[in-house]
Amino acid sequence: MLFLTALRHACTRTSATCAMALLCLLPLNSQAQVLSATVKTDQVRADLLAHAPQGIQAGQSFWLGLQIQHQPHWHTYWQNPGDSGLPTRLQWKLPAGLQVGEIAWPLPKKIPIGTLANYGYEGTVLLPVAVTVGPDFKVPVVGPVKIQLQAEWLVCRQECIPQEGQFELSLPVQSATALHSGLFDAAHKQTPQALPGAHPVSLSADGRSLSLQIDQLPPAWRGQTLSLFPVTPHVVNNAAVQGKTWTQNWQGDRWTAQVPVSDERSESPSALSWVIAQGPETSPKAPALEVTSPVQGPWPALAPAAAVSPALAKALQDNAQTTAPSGTGSLALALLGAFIGGLLLNLMPCVFPVLAIKVLGFAQPGQSRSEHRAAGLAYTAGVVLSLVLLGAALLTLRSAGEQLGWGFQLQTPAVVAALAVLFTLLGLNLAGLFEFGQMVPSRLAGWQSRHHTVNAALSGVLAVAIASPCTAPFMGASLGLAIALPAWQALSVFAAMGVGMALPYLAASLWPAVARALPRPGAWMVVFRQAMAFPMFATVIWLLWVLGQQTGIDGASSLLAVLLCVAFTAWAWGLQNRARGVLSALALATLAWLCAGVLPAALRETPGPQAVSSEAQPRWPAWSEARVQSELAAGRPVFVDFTAAWCVTCQYNKKTTLSDAALLADFDARKVTLLRADWTRRDAAITQTLAALGRNGVPVYALYVPGKAPIILSELPSVAEVQTALRGL
């Protein structure tokens, strides 16, 4: 009877589960969490500072700034990061009447990396911004002014780690804030000052070099070696060496520089901006000047733009020609792969219990064949529609500029936490701890029991929701191709996946022979239902591990506390005596406190490299496009494991093929550099590289060979397959 009751309340189970998941998800964006002016990671310490020596008064201005202290050998980036990297981004939340300006970027230094070069900062740097106090600023009735900042930065050594932080600072309105005046004064001295006038730059006839002439430099600079930093990106050759591949000379008061244009130029600006300072580019000295130079001469036509390196762009073309037929055949293969992948999803531990219970529902007496057929069609519609909507969301966000791939929802710790709550509730329900029908009004329970078709459709939606952490080996190529197809064809691939996933239940509902082959009802059904709870709990353990990779031990332990409270709440709600009200109120209050005050702060912590990429052992350093190109330029082949903590197939391959002693010895013998691209959290660079390789999800295994297009292996590679690819080196 427990099994049949759970089946009758499928709709209620879905509604209650989603409500409980949202209960923990919604407070993540609330202001209940405690923010500070400091964020620490293993690579940097970031502090939100202020300099308001006259307080905050209308008609005046004051300064805010993000100070970043780097650990040795780590760096962040300037406004023009150079050949790779991303500049630090600051998003402010200020009271009405305060207007914030742009970052007053301090003088950077050149950071050579192999055949590439970046511009950025090491040691300690303060990024100041000016804040203007408008006439509409209203002084708070009580308390100070609250300043909030969301900052994002990319910190790199040989590997690169995207990090972020949320900061809050309280400033008094009337009294002065000048504790950090020395730091801001030093930052202002490092900020380049505009050199008046226009200083033309001449483009050579072949468009391969620029000649810059300036006559108004400070007298103390004359005869000195100067540094030149391009503010305008994607034009000059950043890796040009001072005094070798770019030259300078003095002719009296006139300073002239010959600068090579990048072979991968992607812009044709009418004017260029430069920062000029004394000394070598790797250690320039303030003061610095910013110069605007109108370009004289026509730019040659641009080469086709490449989102990533030319080698990867060529790989995309080669893959399209050698691994996938064109036209109708390409779409047919994508549809077939998606259909098979959908079928395999039913075997995943998080999906199989739902499918098994739905199929065994045919043993329930009192339903006609027509009702079974309607339920099967409704379940299929729920599955297909949910997957199509998920695919449409992915395509829409990508078209809007977001760098996303399949599985993007699991790159957010809040979603992982919500799924863990969902699976915990399902597991407790299957184990018989409580019934969802006890948690909803009797009128709603009576309504859903009369609408089996609606229940079946919502069960399809639930099946897709809990299938999202699971991947199938046949889905990678199909989904990667789907992203490059027209929208209607791409959505048809997602629909084919839904048809494959819904097929077992649909077949049992349409063909009585399939239903008759099922075992007859009996006591075994209760045992089976309870046994299905354990795959759910196993999935919860896996999700906790994924969250630990994303947020560290604090996030995982906080979620464990929430799950314990969820279990206590479900148990208390199912009691039938007076204790139910008291214990339920206590449990709900504790759960609300955990979800609003403890869990959000833990999930928002920025992980260090050991949290984000615990698999990045010395044998498998962290991936970067710059590292790949550097190794290839040195003549060394590179094998890249594109992986994620939430990818079950990835973890299986790591423990089997990629840990095989003979294969690792083969890698060493052929001097192959091993890199691991961790996609557990969103990474735009990895997403771009996957797209260039013709893929949109993980796992992906790529063997890069100098002078050749990358070799893409299967998603379940055997040791023999990898060794065969290595023999081709």
Side-chain angles (χ1 to χ4, degrees):
M1 288 304 295
L2 290 175
F3 167 74
L4 298 179
T5 302
L7 188 62
R8 285 197 300 270
H9 295 291
C11 178
T12 306
R13 176 168 58 240
T14 304
S15 304
T17 300
C18 294
M20 292 297 292
L22 288 175
L23 179 64
C24 287
L25 181 59
L26 289 177
L28 294 178
N29 293 324
S30 70
Q31 298 302 316
Q33 60 180 322
V34 178
L35 302 179
S36 71
T38 301
V39 170
K40 296 180 180 180
T41 73
D42 287 347
Q43 296 76 35
V44 304
R45 171 189 169 122
D47 295 278
L48 176 57
L49 307 180
H51 179 57
Q54 299 179 354
I56 303 176
Q57 302 180 24
Q60 297 187 1
S61 62
F62 63 96
W63 289 87
L64 297 172
L66 182 67
Q67 179 179 263
I68 302 178
Q69 301 178 49
H70 305 81
Q71 290 294 325
H73 311 299
W74 291 90
H75 62 269
T76 54
Y77 293 92
W78 187 45
Q79 56 181 322
N80 174 15
D83 289 322
S84 62
L86 293 170
T88 299
R89 303 294 186 191
L90 306 180
Q91 295 181 345
W92 300 91
K93 185 177 181 181
L94 306 178
L98 300 184
Q99 296 182 348
V100 65
E102 299 295 329
I103 297 174
W105 292 95
L107 176 66
K109 62 181 293 186
K110 177 178 280 190
I111 305 173
I113 303 178
T115 59
L116 306 176
N118 295 328
Y119 305 113
Y121 307 101
E122 297 176 333
T124 300
V125 63
L126 175 62
L127 306 179
V129 298
V131 182
T132 302
V133 185
D136 55 338
F137 172 70
K138 296 181 180 180
V139 178
V141 177
V142 179
V145 172
K146 287 189 176 181
I147 306 294
Q148 292 187 338
L149 169 65
Q150 168 73 30
E152 299 176 356
W153 61 87
L154 183 67
V155 58
C156 298
R157 188 171 55 184
Q158 289 182 335
E159 65 275 26
C160 289
I161 303 173
Q163 297 180 344
E164 62 181 358
Q166 289 193 343
F167 305 81
E168 184 173 274
L169 191 64
S170 296
L171 298 180
V173 177
Q174 301 298 333
S175 58
T177 301
L179 179 63
H180 305 292
S181 58
L183 297 176
F184 279 90
D185 289 343
H188 294 327
K189 293 178 181 179
Q190 289 287 325
T191 302
Q193 303 299 309
L195 184 65
H199 308 274
V201 60
S202 300
L203 182 64
S204 64
D206 59 3
R208 298 185 64 83
S209 66
L210 294 162
S211 177
L212 175 64
Q213 296 183 352
I214 303 178
D215 297 319
Q216 302 175 12
L217 295 175
W221 289 17
R222 293 172 187 169
Q224 303 294 319
T225 298
L226 304 183
S227 298
L228 184 65
F229 302 95
V231 178
T232 307
H234 313 306
V235 175
V236 306
N237 183 353
N238 300 304
V241 180
Q242 188 178 35
K244 295 182 180 179
T245 49
W246 82 271
T247 59
Q248 56 179 299
N249 61 77
W250 287 91
Q251 298 174 350
D253 296 340
R254 172 175 294 177
W255 181 76
T256 303
Q258 300 290 332
V259 183
V261 174
S262 173
D263 294 335
E264 301 175 20
R265 174 178 62 89
S266 59
E267 304 288 343
S268 299
S270 59
L272 297 172
S273 294
W274 316 83
V275 166
I276 304 175
Q278 296 186 75
E281 294 172 307
T282 54
S283 56
K285 300 177 181 178
L289 297 173
E290 184 167 350
V291 176
T292 300
S293 303
V295 178
Q296 297 180 342
W299 288 101
L302 287 172
V308 289
S309 68
L312 285 179
K314 183 177 184 298
L316 178 61
Q317 180 181 3
D318 292 345
N319 286 339
Q321 293 176 351
T322 60
T323 65
S326 61
T328 305
S330 178
L331 177 60
L333 285 178
L335 293 173
L336 178 61
F339 177 79
I340 296 175
L343 277 174
L344 292 177
L345 278 176
N346 291 298
L347 301 178
M348 295 296 174
C350 51
V351 180
F352 177 73
V354 173
L355 175 67
I357 292 176
K358 292 300 296 180
V359 171
L360 288 175
F362 289 112
Q364 179 182 3
Q367 289 189 4
S368 63
R369 285 184 55 189
S370 61
E371 289 177 322
H372 286 317
R373 286 195 297 268
L377 292 173
Y379 176 83
T380 302
V383 171
V384 173
L385 182 60
S386 299
L387 279 170
V388 169
L389 289 177
L390 187 60
L394 172 61
L395 295 175
T396 301
L397 291 172
R398 285 178 64 92
S399 65
E402 294 285 343
Q403 294 297 327
L404 300 176
W406 185 250
F408 69 94
Q409 62 273 43
L410 290 175
Q411 295 174 328
T412 303
V415 175
V416 177
L419 286 172
V421 172
L422 174 68
F423 291 148
T424 299
L425 283 169
L426 289 176
L428 294 174
N429 173 254
L430 291 172
L433 180 66
F434 73 99
E435 298 297 336
F436 281 107
Q438 300 171 346
M439 295 187 173
V440 297
S442 57
R443 181 176 300 179
L444 178 59
W447 178 89
Q448 61 85 29
S449 66
R450 296 190 300 269
H451 295 79
H452 300 288
T453 302
V454 177
N455 292 349
L458 291 177
S459 296
V461 176
L462 174 63
V464 171
I466 64 177
S468 58
C470 302
T471 58
F474 295 95
M475 290 166 57
S478 298
L479 292 176
L481 178 59
I483 299 303
L485 292 173
W488 73 269
Q489 294 183 359
L491 293 180
S492 67
V493 173
F494 289 100
M497 188 192 312
V499 173
M501 182 176 174
L503 183 60
Y505 183 63
L506 181 63
S509 66
L510 294 181
W511 290 285
V514 177
R516 286 196 298 268
L518 297 174
R520 293 185 177 184
W524 67 270
M525 298 174 68
V526 176
V527 177
F528 179 81
R529 178 204 177 189
Q530 294 172 347
M532 289 298 99
F534 293 97
M536 291 295 185
F537 294 140
T539 303
V540 173
I541 294 174
W542 169 59
L543 287 168
L544 279 166
W545 178 75
V546 171
L547 191 71
Q549 302 297 302
Q550 295 175 331
T551 65
I553 189 64
D554 288 343
S557 58
S558 298
L559 180 57
L560 271 174
V562 168
L563 297 181
L564 176 63
C565 194
V566 165
F568 180 73
T569 303
W571 169 77
W573 198 267
L575 296 176
Q576 300 298 326
N577 50 33
R578 294 180 180 179
R580 174 181 179 178
V582 176
L583 293 178
S584 296
L586 176 62
L588 288 173
T590 306
L591 181 61
W593 172 72
L594 286 172
C595 291
V598 177
L599 186 60
L603 296 186
R604 288 179 182 274
E605 288 186 0
T606 303
Q610 75 279 6
V612 174
S613 182
S614 62
E615 300 290 344
Q617 303 166 356
R619 181 179 280 277
W620 292 92
W623 169 94
S624 72
E625 175 64 14
R627 177 69 182 272
V628 172
Q629 299 305 318
S630 175
E631 295 293 328
L632 293 177
R636 292 185 289 268
V638 180
F639 183 87
V640 181
D641 169 21
F642 294 90
T643 183
W646 40 261
C647 169
V648 178
T649 310
C650 301
Q651 306 311 316
Y652 173 79
N653 291 336
K654 286 180 186 178
K655 303 301 181 184
T656 54
T657 299
L658 298 185
S659 297
D660 184 82
L663 178 60
L664 294 175
D666 207 356
F667 279 131
D668 294 338
R670 300 176 187 275
K671 298 182 179 180
V672 178
T673 300
L674 304 179
L675 300 178
R676 182 154 283 156
D678 195 320
W679 209 39
T680 300
R681 302 195 75 172
R682 187 182 303 181
D683 189 307
I686 294 178
T687 307
Q688 281 188 317
T689 303
L690 289 173
L693 294 172
R695 295 293 186 270
N696 192 249
V698 290
V700 172
Y701 305 100
L703 178 61
Y704 295 79
V705 183
K708 298 181 181 179
I711 301 170
I712 310 300
L713 304 179
S714 68
E715 286 142 318
L716 278 173
S718 64
V719 173
E721 178 185 352
V722 182
Q723 290 178 329
T724 299
L726 293 177
R727 284 195 287 269
L729 297 180

